[in-house]
Amino acid sequence: RRMRQYADQDSASQWKRQFDKFSNLLAQLGRPPEISKQEFSGLRSYTFAAANQLYAEFMRRNSHRSVESIVSKNIFYEGGVSKSNRPVFYFIARNIIADSIDFELMVYHILQVSCRIER
């Protein structure tokens, strides 16, 4: 998307070089180290408790807000079920106009829709 912003070739080439450097760095770093199951189980209970608290706080903070502006853009919605009877969600990134969207409200809407389906 950013490539469309650059009218001149020099800027586009510079952006591509930066992206290539980043890609090479990721390739050199390789996969992240594995965490042993024993190490993970100790971290997991703390991480989940903290995550649940942050989730609950986020949802409470946004509960009074109307998501109609996000819904009307058809950015994220549930669209039926798969062959294995699981819900299918659609995220249409091209409907996002980064300069004019409230990303926190969009995330709130995504969490609202996906949690409503799980129940």
Side-chain angles (χ1 to χ4, degrees), residues 8-61:
D8 61 294
Q9 277 304 111
D10 291 336
S11 296
S13 296
Q14 182 182 7
W15 188 85
K16 185 181 180 323
R17 281 192 302 274
Q18 289 175 350
F19 184 76
D20 288 342
K21 285 180 185 178
F22 181 68
S23 295
N24 287 335
L25 178 63
L26 287 177
Q28 289 172 5
L29 288 172
R31 296 184 64 123
E34 293 290 326
I35 298 175
S36 70
K37 286 189 180 220
Q38 185 179 21
E39 212 179 340
F40 181 70
S41 64
L43 292 173
R44 190 170 67 186
S45 61
Y46 172 76
T47 303
F48 288 146
N52 286 338
Q53 184 178 6
L54 292 172
Y55 170 79
E57 180 184 325
F58 177 82
M59 296 303 279
R60 188 175 358 91
R61 186 173 67 239

Side-chain angles (χ1 to χ4, degrees), residues 59-76:
M59 296 303 279
R60 188 175 358 91
R61 186 173 67 239
N62 288 286
S63 64
H64 70 283
R65 301 178 70 192
S66 170
V67 293
E68 189 55 41
S69 63
I70 303 295
V71 171
S72 67
K73 291 178 171 72
N74 282 329
I75 294 170
F76 184 83

